[in-house]
Amino acid sequence: MAGSRLPRQLFLQGVAAVFMFAFASLYMQIPGLYGPDGILPARRTLRPQGKGRWPQLWETPTLLWETPLLGLDTAQGLELLSLLGTLLALGALLLHQLRHLLVYLLLWAAYLSAYQVGQVFLYFQWDSLLLETGFLALLVAALRLPPRHKQAQGRLAGVPPHEDLPFWLVRWLLFRLMFASGVVKLTSRCPAWWGLTALTYHFETQCLPTPASWFAHHLPVWLHKLGVVATFLIEIAVPPLFFAPVRRLRLAAFYSQVLLQVLIIVTGNYNFFNLLTLVLTTALLDDAHLAAASGNSRRKKTPTSWPKALLALLLELAVYGLLACGVVHCFGLEVDWKQRTVHSKTTFTFHQFSQWLKMVTLPTMWLGAASLAWELLTALWRWTQVRGWLQKFCAAVQLSIFGTATVALFTISLVPYSYMEPSTHGRLWTGAHRLFGTVEHLQLAHSYGLFRRMTGLGGRPEVVLEGSYDGHHWKQEIEFMYKPGNVSRAPPIVVPHQPRLDWQMWFAALGPHTHSPWFTSLVLRLLQGKEPVIRLIQNHAPRYPFHKQPPTYVRAQRYKYWFSKPGEQGRWWRRQWVEEFFPSVSLGDPTLDTLLRQFGLQGSEPDAADASFCIGRDEAALLWERRKDNPEVTSTAACPVIWIRE
């Protein structure tokens, strides 16, 4: 098997780049989201419970407990961590010397610290994915490359036997992410996924479309349906090939994943998520492929015996043939040569899929265990080749440590992975449950599953804020920089930045405003004219209609938005008023005061009970009840729910 040094370095660079984007994006939004005049002040989240320093740190692992020692409040400490994280990640991206265990430990700890106080604005699957990936990068970075003169002495002379073990966990994470993302689309019973019409709505109803989304939305319906079939193929059928013994099968799986992620990046603003997924795909590559792709391959190809080559070729053809036949059978593909279209439909039932899932979930775990066992045996064989009793002893100690860590993380990951199939979850080894429960708050493993249900099948709901000085004339709409508002404005491209308020506005539109307690705080800050919050909406003051004087009254309306049709000049959207979303209120209004008290948002220092409801477990649970069918919400230590569980 070809080495993985180049992919590991590419992985570490990629993780550093994603950390840099994530920290920089968060840094710009902290004053408006978490500052003293922000929507959800971070100081509400960290309240000592009378426990000792270390128990408190273990229960809520965040470096922000120490900010008072620096004379900073929680929001200022969060800004400092984000700024340092951005600079440190930039250094690791550019300098080989900084791709060190300690650097990635600091990056992971800093983001975990922010995650603990981020409340609803950091409850996204990509935040959890970044934490899990960052911890794996910590282990991968612990295996420093030997000096060049040692490399020249041969592989075994300078390379630790266990060098590939932590990197294998990256491949396992990629498998869990993609396989679960495909499965939950069908276990949700969403009619758009089962009817293969999801893409007919997706480009229009996703949170932040791009200009390319408009063009993709107007593609023929048969092509949309074929795209859904391809999505199921790439997310469900292809991931087991990540562990295939044939190298070209793994490379084919790699390019299929890259194709899917690139198409998503082009047609949707999903911040750093797809970039992070692309970073994970490096675990499917090897040194020989990267060297050949870059044109730097100087190694002579080892001749392969024709029986072995023939066997590999036959296996490849069998796999491709099986995939093709399976897709044609499961989705009834038929080519209409007259109309030049491809007809497709789902030919299996929900019960049949549930039985299939029950049958394959446990074997996929065994597939991962078998692949890991092979990596362990390979590492053990390499250890036997080490010369010198001292070197052999040191290699044995390192192999024991990294081998134990790899097996432990694999075992922990089985618990959230099994959530997608309840009966398998119930049969899982109890020791795995206990181990997962012990470290769950450290965010080392998560359940994943994107785009579980399609929303906005009758048009995308949007909340439009309006301001007035007299309570009668509501001509001034408060337009956001990124989310749809003005029907004549083209959708922006914001990757890899995530405007977290715009994302939450998308969620808020899916239900009543009482399901989004933070929205009341947003209205309060606009009435108060708080500049940090206004900058989240418009960073160019003249574009904010009330930049000279805050509005006296604020209200919100719910609209339905649709992409404009081809030929409509100067318009990207069409919209229709639906209902009032938030009533007209002003400062001192009894309705506003009642909502603020209800959500624990009144006053600068709410009591502990109110604060816990506002930003702690109760709000997270309330959020979950409303959004459990939406893809971007994830489980967190502060939100003890698993969103893909039925």
Side-chain angles (χ1 to χ4, degrees):
M1 180 177 177
S4 63
R5 290 191 185 185
L6 292 178
R8 291 205 311 271
Q9 289 302 305
L10 191 60
F11 168 74
L12 291 176
Q13 281 184 288
V15 172
V18 174
F19 265 124
M20 180 185 68
F21 295 141
F23 277 121
S25 174
L26 182 61
Y27 174 76
M28 294 186 293
Q29 302 175 75
I30 289 173
L33 296 179
Y34 306 117
D37 294 329
I39 299 173
L40 292 178
R43 63 188 176 192
R44 300 171 180 267
T45 61
L46 295 182
R47 293 181 175 274
Q49 303 297 322
K51 300 179 181 179
R53 183 177 184 179
W54 294 111
Q56 179 177 264
L57 183 61
W58 172 254
E59 188 173 301
T60 307
T62 173
L63 300 174
L64 296 173
W65 286 116
E66 309 302 323
T67 52
L69 299 178
L70 301 176
L72 305 174
D73 65 20
T74 305
Q76 291 171 328
L78 187 55
E79 286 186 290
L80 179 61
L81 277 181
S82 299
L83 182 59
L84 292 177
T86 303
L87 297 176
L88 200 59
L90 176 61
L93 173 64
L94 299 178
L95 301 175
H96 177 274
Q97 294 81 359
L98 288 181
R99 289 172 216 145
H100 189 275
L101 162 68
L102 181 60
V103 171
Y104 287 93
L105 174 61
L106 291 174
L107 291 173
W108 174 78
Y111 206 76
L112 179 62
S113 299
Y115 185 87
Q116 295 296 327
V117 302
Q119 306 166 75
V120 69
F121 293 108
L122 258 72
Y123 286 179
F124 294 96
Q125 288 202 46
W126 35 81
D127 295 309
S128 300
L129 182 63
L130 180 55
L131 283 170
E132 186 171 352
T133 305
F135 191 81
L136 298 184
L138 186 158
L139 297 178
V140 173
L143 301 173
R144 299 297 301 276
L145 291 178
R148 291 186 179 275
H149 70 275
K150 287 189 176 182
Q151 294 183 33
Q153 296 176 9
R155 177 178 176 84
L156 297 176
V159 176
H162 53 278
E163 66 166 348
D164 292 329
L165 285 180
F167 200 44
W168 178 89
L169 287 170
V170 179
R171 191 187 311 177
W172 172 245
L173 172 57
L174 177 65
F175 170 81
R176 287 164 39 219
L177 172 66
M178 301 311 301
F179 187 73
S181 295
V183 163
V184 299
K185 292 176 174 62
L186 294 173
T187 58
S188 69
R189 301 195 186 200
C190 175
W193 286 115
W194 279 90
L196 306 182
T197 59
L199 292 184
T200 306
Y201 308 101
H202 165 73
F203 300 113
E204 181 179 68
T205 61
Q206 62 184 312
C207 180
L208 298 178
T210 66
S213 302
W214 187 93
F215 296 96
H217 175 73
H218 292 292
L219 291 173
V221 173
W222 70 267
L223 197 56
H224 285 159
K225 298 178 74 172
L226 201 60
V228 174
V229 172
T231 300
F232 285 136
L233 172 65
I234 294 173
E235 292 186 345
I236 298 178
V238 171
L241 298 182
F242 297 169
F243 307 103
V246 178
R247 176 173 173 264
R248 287 195 296 188
L249 286 176
R250 296 194 301 274
L251 292 177
F254 164 79
Y255 283 109
S256 68
Q257 303 303 317
V258 169
L259 174 63
L260 177 63
Q261 299 307 316
V262 169
L263 289 176
I264 295 175
I265 291 173
V266 171
T267 58
N269 286 296
Y270 290 94
N271 49 84
F272 58 81
F273 169 65
N274 302 107
L275 300 176
L276 181 56
T277 306
L278 287 173
V279 171
L280 294 177
T281 62
T282 58
L284 303 177
L285 299 175
D286 54 52
D287 288 342
H289 185 72
L290 286 178
S294 62
N296 294 328
S297 180
R298 299 179 181 178
R299 183 181 300 177
K300 295 181 180 179
K301 294 184 177 180
T302 304
T304 305
S305 60
W306 70 265
K308 184 177 180 181
L310 180 61
L311 181 62
L313 178 61
L314 292 176
L315 181 59
E316 282 185 72
L317 293 176
V319 169
Y320 296 143
L322 184 63
L323 289 176
C325 292
V327 169
V328 171
H329 173 73
C330 292
F331 297 102
L333 297 185
E334 294 181 0
V335 179
D336 187 336
W337 297 106
K338 292 183 179 180
Q339 300 293 330
R340 295 184 179 180
T341 61
V342 178
H343 299 293
S344 55
K345 62 179 180 180
T346 306
T347 61
F348 54 91
T349 65
F350 177 79
H351 176 72
Q352 289 173 326
F353 180 76
S354 298
Q355 292 300 115
W356 175 84
L357 183 61
K358 185 179 297 185
M359 181 177 64
V360 304
T361 301
L362 194 58
T364 58
M365 295 181 183
W366 285 113
L367 173 65
S371 178
L372 176 57
W374 176 257
E375 294 291 339
L376 290 170
L377 289 174
T378 302
L380 187 61
W381 178 83
R382 290 173 179 168
W383 174 77
T384 63
Q385 308 302 307
V386 176
R387 297 290 179 260
W389 68 269
L390 182 59
Q391 291 83 349
K392 207 176 190 72
F393 174 76
C394 292
V397 172
Q398 293 178 343
L399 178 57
S400 300
I401 294 173
F402 281 91
T404 301
T406 302
V407 172
L409 287 173
F410 171 73
T411 304
I412 290 170
S413 71
L414 295 178
V415 177
Y417 173 69
S418 66
Y419 285 142
M420 65 183 180
E421 210 294 294
S423 63
T424 303
H425 176 72
R427 289 183 291 158
L428 202 61
W429 178 46
T430 56
H433 287 281
R434 288 196 299 269
L435 187 58
F436 175 75
T438 302
V439 299
E440 183 178 9
H441 64 295
L442 297 178
Q443 312 300 321
L444 300 183
H446 299 267
S447 58
Y448 299 102
L450 298 170
F451 305 106
R452 188 174 191 264
R453 280 184 177 272
M454 297 306 300
T455 59
L457 301 188
R460 65 174 295 140
E462 282 291 343
V463 173
V464 176
L465 282 160
E466 298 175 338
S468 172
Y469 289 118
D470 59 10
H472 299 289
H473 300 86
W474 299 89
K475 296 182 179 180
Q476 296 289 350
E477 293 186 0
I478 299 175
E479 186 176 354
F480 285 66
M481 289 183 289
Y482 307 112
K483 82 178 193 69
N486 186 341
V487 296
S488 300
R489 191 188 65 176
I493 298 177
V494 298
V495 171
H497 172 56
Q498 182 182 359
R500 294 182 181 267
L501 176 58
D502 293 67
W503 268 90
Q504 290 303 330
M505 289 292 290
W506 183 81
F507 281 117
L510 302 178
H513 71 85
T514 52
H515 287 178
S516 300
W518 58 268
F519 190 84
T520 303
S521 180
L522 171 63
V523 171
L524 173 66
R525 297 311 190 194
L526 294 179
L527 289 170
Q528 294 172 337
K530 298 299 184 181
E531 185 179 351
V533 175
I534 293 172
R535 282 202 299 266
L536 294 176
I537 297 173
Q538 282 290 346
N539 55 19
H540 185 51
R543 294 181 181 176
Y544 182 68
F546 304 99
H547 65 279
K548 294 182 179 179
Q549 180 183 349
T552 307
Y553 298 89
V554 169
R555 71 179 185 183
Q557 307 289 336
R558 195 197 315 268
Y559 285 81
K560 287 289 184 70
Y561 275 67
W562 299 268
F563 271 136
S564 62
K565 296 179 180 179
E568 294 186 44
Q569 297 296 327
R571 296 181 63 185
W572 287 85
W573 297 97
R574 294 178 292 119
R575 77 177 188 178
Q576 179 181 337
W577 181 85
V578 177
E579 61 184 351
E580 183 180 70
F581 177 78
F582 194 90
S584 171
V585 294
S586 60
L587 291 177
D589 189 295
T591 300
L592 180 60
D593 291 343
T594 299
L595 289 170
L596 291 172
R597 285 195 302 269
Q598 178 183 348
F599 299 135
L601 295 165
Q602 193 168 41
S604 59
E605 294 296 338
D607 60 47
D610 284 342
S612 65
F613 177 82
C614 171
I615 45 77
R617 294 180 179 272
D618 291 339
E619 181 195 1
L622 181 65
L623 173 72
W624 169 245
E625 287 301 320
R626 176 164 71 91
R627 301 173 181 172
K628 60 185 178 181
D629 289 333
N630 293 316
E632 291 78 10
V633 178
T634 184
S635 62
T636 70
C639 180
V641 290
I642 305 300
W643 81 269
I644 67 171
R645 179 188 285 176
E646 292 290 345

